[in-house]
Amino acid sequence: MDLRRKLSILADAAKYDASCASSGTTRRDSLSGRGIGSTEGAICHSYAPDGRCISLLKILLTNACAFDCLYCVNRSSSNVPRARFTVAEVVDLTLDFYRRNYIEGLFLSSGIIRSPDYTMEQVVAVARTLRTEHAFRGYIHLKTIPDASPELLAEAGLYADRLSINIELPSETSLKTLAPEKDVRAIRRSMGRMRARIEEAQAEKRAPAFAPAGQSTQMIVGADGMDDRTILATSANLYGAYRLKRVYYSAFSPIPDASRLLPPEPPPLVREHRLYQADWLMRFYGFEPKEIVAEGEGNLALHMDPKLAWALRNRARFPLDVNRAEKGELLRVPGFGRTAVERIIAARRVRAVRLEDLTRLKVPLAKAMPFIVCADHRPGALLDRTDLEVRLAPKPRQLELAL
Ligand code: SF4
């Protein structure tokens, strides 16, 4: 099979993996005159219209797999064309694409062939060759194989900027049903090992860098019956237990010849978007997962962002005086981002903040005004209006007519 055909099969097979953002790496540069490429200021985030990162060469080493995870197009029982790159082919493609400025790095995953260790050895060999033989300074994200030996994981972290292992589904029960060969304990064990290695390298200045951009994982949304509350609780647990940099959410895509255990339709894509917003609230705004989904509800509202939905459910906590409220409280005001809150706090040290100051900070006033008091504004009865939700929820947009 020629290389072009392999590339089309193995890039297509990799598109279901959302976990490929490239933020947070340490800087490698080529100023010394050795090596090619540089991550300094050169890692940019380019996203496809569906939100997936496209700045990396994102491929599988092979889409053949011994496992039969029902939700996966590459499962052993799937009737798709198979292909496999050699280590040298992936190395050459990466260097070639990099030199042409098409990519800033490599995201490499693989189906499991022969054994987890054999597969992982191949994945590690690509990164080792790029770094040690070609002095490649671009970004490398390796998807690790959970059951692979700790030695291989340890070596992978020396060459990769980021490592990831997909947890895939939010509960052990779902994993047992849909991916019976996967062992959730092995996945968590590997995550634990990676956390320990990353922290050791961070603590010891002279230690070689180990996956400096941290570890991440992906959860498929809508393949099982698990609700958003369960998904967010699992994410919170993963962030806490393994210090993950990111949990990625990937809306389930129906696959050919799918099992009857899978839903025939994908979930609405906006569900994935709401989960990302909720995830952001947990990581940067101090929200607990159980606060984000309404009591008695399993899923996030789809028609408005989770912060606005939370504020509407908790009107008794508002209005907040932007000139007195604490930072943690201000972060909960709909429309107030982290930068705006920092600037409000800086501004109010010198004078009372007014609506025009918020406008200058690009705060969406229509969204924030019912929830705040400032020098020249009080929401009055606005906060108690029964139609407040209707007034604040984004208006549904009419779809364009197909001509
Ligand atoms: S192990 Fe990975 S590639 Fe193989 S079937 Fe499962 S999800 Fe797909």
Side-chain angles (χ1 to χ4, degrees):
M1 186 185 291
D2 71 23
L3 198 58
R4 188 181 289 255
R5 175 80 180 125
K6 282 189 194 180
L7 186 58
S8 93
I9 292 174
L10 294 170
D12 190 62
K15 73 184 178 201
Y16 299 98
D17 208 311
S19 47
C20 69
S22 52
S23 57
T25 184
T26 55
R27 292 167 174 186
R28 291 186 171 87
D29 66 52
S30 45
L31 296 177
S32 62
R34 219 178 96 67
I36 66 164
S38 169
T39 60
E40 180 151 26
I43 295 283
C44 68
H45 305 266
S46 157
Y47 294 93
D50 62 357
R52 286 171 172 81
C53 176
I54 53 168
S55 61
L56 310 174
L57 172 61
K58 184 178 171 189
I59 47 174
L60 301 188
L61 192 68
T62 176
N63 66 338
C65 189
F67 283 20
D68 203 38
C69 309
L70 298 185
Y71 49 79
C72 178
V73 72
N74 302 318
R75 69 196 186 281
S76 57
S77 60
S78 177
N79 184 21
V80 290
R82 307 284 178 173
R84 179 178 167 183
F85 282 129
T86 63
V87 169
E89 284 171 338
V90 179
V91 169
D92 290 348
L93 273 175
T94 307
L95 295 173
D96 188 34
F97 277 46
Y98 199 99
R99 288 189 181 112
R100 291 171 194 226
N101 228 6
Y102 292 164
I103 56 159
E104 294 144 291
L106 170 69
F107 171 85
L108 184 62
S109 182
S110 182
I112 299 172
I113 39 169
R114 289 202 212 168
S115 71
D117 271 0
Y118 175 80
T119 312
M120 191 68 201
E121 272 164 20
Q122 303 280 301
V123 169
V124 171
V126 170
R128 185 195 311 117
T129 310
L130 280 168
R131 293 283 193 233
T132 61
E133 289 180 25
H134 300 279
F136 180 71
R137 305 289 205 262
Y139 183 87
I140 298 180
H141 178 160
L142 298 182
K143 183 59 64 65
T144 62
I145 311 294
D147 280 328
S149 72
E151 292 74 26
L152 284 166
L153 278 188
E155 193 182 358
L158 297 179
Y159 307 125
D161 292 272
R162 175 167 286 185
L163 296 173
S164 56
I165 299 183
N166 285 354
I167 191 108
E168 303 289 18
L169 296 168
S171 80
E172 194 172 347
T173 323
S174 305
L175 212 55
K176 273 195 182 135
T177 314
L178 300 182
E181 289 137 315
K182 286 205 167 177
D183 177 355
V184 74
R185 272 160 302 177
I187 294 172
R188 286 183 172 263
R189 239 186 346 260
S190 295
M191 286 179 170
R193 283 192 189 114
M194 288 202 280
R195 175 188 169 171
R197 293 250 172 204
I198 291 167
E199 287 180 353
E200 272 166 32
Q202 284 167 346
E204 177 54 67
K205 281 208 174 77
R206 289 195 199 150
F210 186 93
Q215 61 167 323
S216 59
T217 194
Q218 167 179 280
M219 251 190 282
I220 299 172
V221 175
D224 58 358
M226 292 298 148
D227 58 21
D228 295 343
R229 179 178 283 267
T230 310
I231 292 171
L232 291 173
T234 302
S235 298
N237 174 276
L238 293 171
Y239 283 127
Y242 308 108
R243 298 273 183 274
L244 295 192
K245 272 277 193 253
R246 288 291 299 273
V247 175
Y248 291 87
Y249 305 95
S250 178
F252 166 69
S253 316
I255 49 176
D257 309 318
S259 156
R260 288 213 195 122
L261 293 174
L262 292 170
E265 298 284 327
L269 205 55
V270 68
R271 184 175 172 201
E272 183 186 289
H273 178 60
R274 296 293 179 227
L275 280 166
Y276 275 117
Q277 290 177 316
D279 186 279
W280 194 260
L281 292 183
M282 291 196 297
R283 287 188 296 140
F284 300 112
Y285 288 76
F287 282 80
E288 297 287 333
K290 58 180 184 302
E291 292 181 283
I292 300 174
V293 181
E295 197 65 47
E297 301 274 327
N299 285 325
L300 296 162
L302 295 180
H303 66 294
M304 72 174 84
D305 71 76
K307 193 175 179 192
L308 176 59
W310 175 86
L312 285 166
R313 289 196 305 273
N314 290 277
R315 295 184 205 198
R317 295 174 66 151
F318 298 99
L320 283 181
D321 186 339
V322 297
N323 286 297
R324 290 176 205 278
E326 289 184 5
K327 183 177 173 185
E329 294 176 307
L330 288 177
L331 284 171
R332 290 180 173 238
V333 174
F336 278 22
R338 290 193 305 159
T339 309
V341 167
E342 296 290 349
R343 292 192 179 150
I344 288 168
I345 290 171
R348 74 188 189 186
R349 288 195 191 108
V350 284
R351 66 192 155 81
V353 170
R354 307 172 71 83
L355 283 184
E356 61 183 356
D357 298 311
L358 298 180
T359 309
R360 229 175 286 127
L361 291 174
K362 299 199 169 40
V363 166
L365 280 189
K367 203 173 184 181
M369 277 171 68
F371 302 98
I372 55 167
V373 167
C374 58
D376 56 349
H377 164 75
R378 301 194 80 80
L382 186 56
L383 188 56
D384 300 320
R385 285 184 66 135
T386 49
D387 64 347
L388 186 59
E389 177 168 335
V390 179
R391 290 166 69 114
L392 292 179
K395 304 285 167 280
R397 275 183 298 167
Q398 185 168 357
L399 295 175
E400 283 178 27
L401 291 174
L403 295 174

